[in-house]
C-alpha cells in the first residue's frame, strides 16, 4: 500500500509539474509589441520644423498600445549621450494607466518644443546608435527608429562616426527630410545623401524608408 | 530507325512488326485484359458490398437509436402527463369531499328554505259563497228582524275573518318571498361550485385523452413500425434545424457578450500577456462566458428542464434544489461582474476618446447623454448571462438529434459511394470486353488473312470430301 501511495503521489506531482510548465510557457508575458524611438533634429537649419515633430509625437502616443515602448531623443552635436534623451518608457499593461502615461509624455513633449534651443552640429549616427542600444535593451517585437531630420550630418571635430552600425531587424524611417539650399541648386546632393543613408542602414541589416508626406505615416508605419 | 532516309517507311515497318507481334500474342493478351478487368470489377463489387454492409449496420444502429430515443421521449412525456394529472387530481378532486359537503349543506339549506316558502293560499271561493249566501239570506229575511240582524252580523264577522285571512296570507307571502330572495346567493354559490367541479373533471378527461394519444404513439414506437420511424426521423430533422438556428443566435449573443467584457478584462489581466496567439484578456473573457454557459446548463439540469447529465437528474430532490440555488447564485455573481465590466468598458472607451481629443489638440468633452449607453451596456452585461442559460435547451436538442442526422447523412454518403464503386466495377468489366475488341481492331489485317486462310482450308477440305464421296460412289 505505501508503495502504491507513493506512486500515486509521484503521478500527481508529475501532472502538477506538467501543468505548471504549461502555464509558465503559455501565460508568460510576451515581449511588448512595438518599440518606437524618435530622433528629433534640433540643428539650426531644422529646428523650425519642431512644431511638426510635436504633432508626430502626439500621433505616436495616440497610436501605440499598452505594453509598447516609446522613446524620444534630440539630435545635437553629440547625440550618443543619455542627456539628449527626452523620455523613454514602456507603457503599462493596463490601458487606463497607459493613458495617464501618455498624457504626461504629451506635456513633456510640448514643454520641449517650447524651450528647445538649436544645436550647432548634427550627430545623426550617434542618435541612431543610442536608439538601437535602447531598443535592443527593451527587446520589443518590432523595432522602429524614426529620424525627424534633413539627414545632413554635421559632426563636431574629432567625433568618429564612419563605422558600420548593427541595425539587424530595425526599421529606420527618415521622416520629413527637407531639402537644403544646396539641394535646390543640385538635387543630386539630396539624392546622394539619402542613398548613402539607405546603403548604410541596409548594410547594417535594417530596412530603410523615407516618408516626406506625414499623411502617409499611418500607412507606412502600420502601427 | 530501320530506314533512316524514309521515316514513313520506318514507321510502317514498325507498325507492321507491332501488329504481327500483337497478333502472335493475341490469346494471352485477351486473357490478360479480361482477367485484369474481371479482377478489378470483382474487387469493386466486393468493396461496394462491404460499404453497403457498413451502411446497413449504420442504418440499423441509427434506427435502434432513433426508436430508443423516441421511446424514452414518449416515456418522459407520459410520465410528465401522469404527474400533471396527479397534480390536477390532488388540486381539484382532492378537495372534492369538502365540495361535496358544501354542496350537501347548500342543498339542505335550499330544501329547508323551500319548505318554509310553500304557498298555502286561502280557500277564497268557499268564503265568497258563504258571504254571498249570508247577504242573500239577510235581504230575504229583512234587516229589521232578529234573524236578519243575526245573519248580517254573521256576514260582517265572516267578512272580517276573510279580511284577516287575506292579511295573514299576504304577510306569509312576503315572508316566503324574503326566503326565496335569500336562496338566490345559495343557488349561485352552488352553481359556481358545480362549475368548478365540471371544469376539474373536464380537464382530467382532456388530459386522459392526451394520455391515450401518447400511449398510442408509445405503442407505435414500441412495435417499431415504419410510420413511427418516419415520424421520429422527421421530428429529428426539424428539431436539428431549429436547435441549430437557435444555437447560432445564441452564438451571436455570446459574441456580443464577449465584446462587452474583453476590453475591460485587459485592465484586470493586462493587455500584453498572451496564451499562444491569443491575448490573455480575450481568453479570460471567453472563460467567463463559458463558465456562465456551464452554470446555465447545470441550472437547467437541476431544474430538470434538460437531461444531459443523468448524474444530476438522479440526485434527490433536495440536493437538486440546493444545486439549482448554488448555480443561480454563481450566475448572479457573474452577471454582476459582467455588469461592472461593461461599465468599466464604457469608462475606458471614454478615457481613450478624451486622450485622443487631447492629443489632437482639442478640449476633451463628454457628451451629455453618454450615461444612456453606459446604463444600456450594464443592463446587457447583467441580462446576457441569464439569457445564455437557456442555451441548454437547444443544446440538448442539438446533441440528441445531431447524432441521428449525422448518422443518416453518413449512411447517405455510404450509399452513394457503394453505388459509385459498383458502377465503376461494371464499367471496368465492360471496358475489358471493349479492350479485347479494340485489340482485335488493331490487328484486323492478320486476322482477316487468318480468316481467309481458314476459309480456303475448310473449302479445300469440303472439296476433298466431295471428291472422296464421288470417288466412293463411283
Amino acid at each position: 500500500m505505501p508503495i502504491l501511495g507513493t506512486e500515486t503521489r509521484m503521478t500527481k506531482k508529475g501532472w502538477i509539474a506538467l501543468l505548471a510548465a504549461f502555464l509558465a510557457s503559455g501565460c508568460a508575458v510576451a515581449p511588448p509589441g512595438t518599440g518606437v524611438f524618435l530622433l528629433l533634429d534640433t540643428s539650426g537649419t531644422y529646428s523650425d520644423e519642431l512644431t511638426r515633430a510635436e504633432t508626430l509625437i502626439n500621433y505616436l502616443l495616440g497610436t501605440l498600445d499598452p505594453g509598447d515602448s516609446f522613446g524620444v531623443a534630440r539630435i545635437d552635436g553629440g547625440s550618443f549621450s543619455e542627456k539628449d534623451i527626452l523620455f523613454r518608457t514602456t507603457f503599462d499593461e493596463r490601458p487606463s494607466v497607459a493613458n495617464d502615461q501618455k498624457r504626461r509624455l504629451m506635456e513633456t513633449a510640448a514643454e520641449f518644443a517650447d524651450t528647445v534651443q538649436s544645436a550647432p552640429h548634427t550627430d545623426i549616427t550617434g542618435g541612431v546608435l543610442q536608439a538601437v542600444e535602447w531598443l535592443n535593451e527593451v527587446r520589443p517585437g518590432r523595432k522602429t527608429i524614426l529620424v525627424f531630420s534633413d539627414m545632413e550630418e554635421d559632426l563636431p571635430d574629432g567625433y568618429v562616426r564612419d563605422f558600420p552600425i548593427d541595425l539587424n531587424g530595425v526599421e529606420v524611417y527618415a521622416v520629413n527630410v527637407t531639402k537644403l539650399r544646396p539641394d535646390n541648386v543640385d538635387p543630386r546632393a539630396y539624392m546622394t545623401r539619402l542613398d548613402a543613408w539607405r546603403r548604410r542602414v541596409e548594410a547594417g541589416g535594417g530596412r530603410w524608408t523615407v516618408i516626406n508626406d506625414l499623411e502617409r505615416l499611418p500607412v507606412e508605419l502600420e502601427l | 530507325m530501320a530506314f533512316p532516309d524514309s521515316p514513313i517507311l520506318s514507321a510502317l515497318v514498325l507498325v507492321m512488326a507491332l501488329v504481327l507481334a500483337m497478333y502472335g500474342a493475341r490469346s494471352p493478351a485477351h486473357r490478360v485484359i479480361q482477367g485484369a478487368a474481371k479482377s478489378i470489377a470483382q474487387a469493386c463489387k466486393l468493396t461496394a458490398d462491404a460499404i453497403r454492409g457498413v451502411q446497413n449496420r449504420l442504418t440499423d444502429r441509427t434506427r435502434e437509436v432513433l426508436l430508443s430515443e423516441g421511446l424514452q421521449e414518449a416515456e418522459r412525456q407520459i410520465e410528465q402527463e401522469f404527474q400533471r394529472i396527479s397534480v390536477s387530481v390532488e388540486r381539484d378532486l382532492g378537495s372534492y369531499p369538502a365540495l361535496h359537503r358544501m354542496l350537501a349543506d347548500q342543498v339542505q339549506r335550499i330544501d329547508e328554505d323551500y319548505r318554509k316558502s310553500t304557498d298555502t293560499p286561502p280557500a277564497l271561493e268557499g268564503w265568497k259563497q258563504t258571504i254571498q249566501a249570508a247577504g242573500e239570506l239577510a235581504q230575504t229575511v229583512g234587516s229589521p228582524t232578529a234573524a236578519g240582524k243575526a245573519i248580517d252580523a254573521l256576514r260582517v264577522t265572516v267578512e272580517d275573518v276573510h279580511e284577516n285571512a287575506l292579511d295573514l296570507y299576504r304577510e306569509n307571502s312576503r315572508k316566503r318571498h324574503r326566503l326565496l330572495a335569500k336562496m338566490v346567493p345559495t343557488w349561485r354559490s352552488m352553481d359556481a361550485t358545480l362549475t368548478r367541479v365540471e371544469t376539474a373533471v373536464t380537464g382530467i378527461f382532456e388530459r386522459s385523452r392526451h394520455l391515450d394519444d401518447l400511449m398510442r404513439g408509445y405503442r407505435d414506437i414500441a412495435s417499431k413500425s415504419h410510420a413511427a420511424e418516419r415520424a421520429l426521423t422527421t421530428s429529428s430533422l426539424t428539431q436539428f434545424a431549429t436547435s441549430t438556428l437557435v444555437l447560432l443566435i445564441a452564438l451571436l449573443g455570446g459574441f456580443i457578450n464577449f465584446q462587452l467584457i474583453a476590453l475591460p478584462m485587459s485592465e484586470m489581466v493586462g493587455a500584453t500577456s498572451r496564451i499562444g496567439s491569443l491575448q490573455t484578456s480575450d481568453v479570460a473573457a471567453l472563460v467567463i462566458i463559458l463558465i456562465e454557459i456551464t452554470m446555465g446548463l447545470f441550472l437547467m439540469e437541476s431544474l430538470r428542464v434538460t437531461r444531459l447529465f443523468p448524474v444530476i437528474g438522479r440526485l434527490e430532490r433536495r440536493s437538486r434544489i440546493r444545486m439549482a440555488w448554488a448555480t443561480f447564485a454563481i450566475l448572479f455573481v457573474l452577471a454582476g461582474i459582467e455588469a461592472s465590466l461593461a461599465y468599466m468598458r464604457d469608462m475606458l472607451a471614454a478615457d481613450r476618446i478624451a486622450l485622443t481629443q487631447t492629443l489632437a489638440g482639442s478640449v476633451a468633452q463628454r457628451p451629455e447623454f453618454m450615461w444612456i449607453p453606459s446604463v444600456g451596456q450594464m443592463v446587457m452585461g447583467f441580462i446576457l448571462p441569464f439569457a445564455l442559460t437557456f442555451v441548454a435547451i437547444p443544446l440538448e436538442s442539438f446533441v440528441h438529434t445531431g447524432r441521428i442526422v449525422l448518422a443518416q447523412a453518413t449512411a447517405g454518403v455510404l450509399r452513394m459511394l457503394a453505388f459509385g464503386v459498383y458502377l465503376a466495377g461494371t464499367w471496368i468489366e465492360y471496358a475489358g470486353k471493349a479492350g479485347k475488341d479494340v485489340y482485335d481492331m488493331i490487328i484486323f489485317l492478320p486476322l482477316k488473312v487468318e480468316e481467309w486462310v481458314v476459309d480456303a482450308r475448310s473449302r479445300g477440305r469440303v472439296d476433298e470430301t466431295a471428291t472422296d464421296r464421288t470417288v466412293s460412289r463411283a
Side-chain angles (χ1 to χ4, degrees), chain B residues 35 79 86 93 108 124 128 145 203 227 255 275 289 322 463:
Chain B
E79 188 188 332
S86 167
L93 297 185
Q108 193 180 353
L124 285 175
K128 259 171 110 177
T145 60
F255 178 71
I275 298 173
I289 292 168
R322 274 184 194 162
D463 290 346

Side-chain angles (χ1 to χ4, degrees), chain A residues 169-182:
Chain A
V170 180
E171 297 168 27
V172 181
Y173 292 89
V175 183
N176 195 41
V177 186
T178 52
K179 280 87 181 174
L180 304 171
R181 195 166 299 158

Side-chain angles (χ1 to χ4, degrees), chain A residues 26 58 62 67 93 95-96 99 103, chain B residues 267 271-272 274-275 351-352 359:
Chain A
N58 286 350
E93 288 181 12
S96 60
N99 285 352
R103 283 192 182 91
Chain B
E267 196 70 18
T272 56
R274 286 181 171 275
I275 298 173
D351 187 40
R352 175 88 186 170
L359 289 171

Side-chain angles (χ1 to χ4, degrees), chain B residues 30 48 51 54 61-62 65 68 82 124 133 141 154 240 255 259 262 270 287 310 329 333 341 343 351 385 404 455:
Chain B
H30 273 198
I51 293 171
V54 173
R61 179 77 190 125
T62 309
V65 171
S68 157
F82 269 121
L124 285 175
V141 176
L154 183 65
F240 181 76
F255 178 71
Q259 289 295 327
V287 166
V333 170
L341 283 174
Y343 182 63
D351 187 40
I404 305 289
D455 277 355

Side-chain angles (χ1 to χ4, degrees), chain A residues 26-30 32 58 61-67 93-97 99-100 102-103 106, chain B residues 263 266-276 280 348 350-352 354-356 358-361:
Chain A
C27 297
V29 177
N58 286 350
L61 285 172
T63 313
L64 292 169
D65 292 323
E93 288 181 12
R94 289 165 295 172
S96 60
V97 181
N99 285 352
D100 288 342
K102 286 175 182 177
R103 283 192 182 91
M106 189 189 78
Chain B
L263 177 66
S266 62
E267 196 70 18
M268 294 165 78
V269 297
T272 56
S273 172
R274 286 181 171 275
I275 298 173
T280 309
L348 285 173
D351 187 40
R352 175 88 186 170
L355 175 69
T356 312
T358 312
L359 289 171

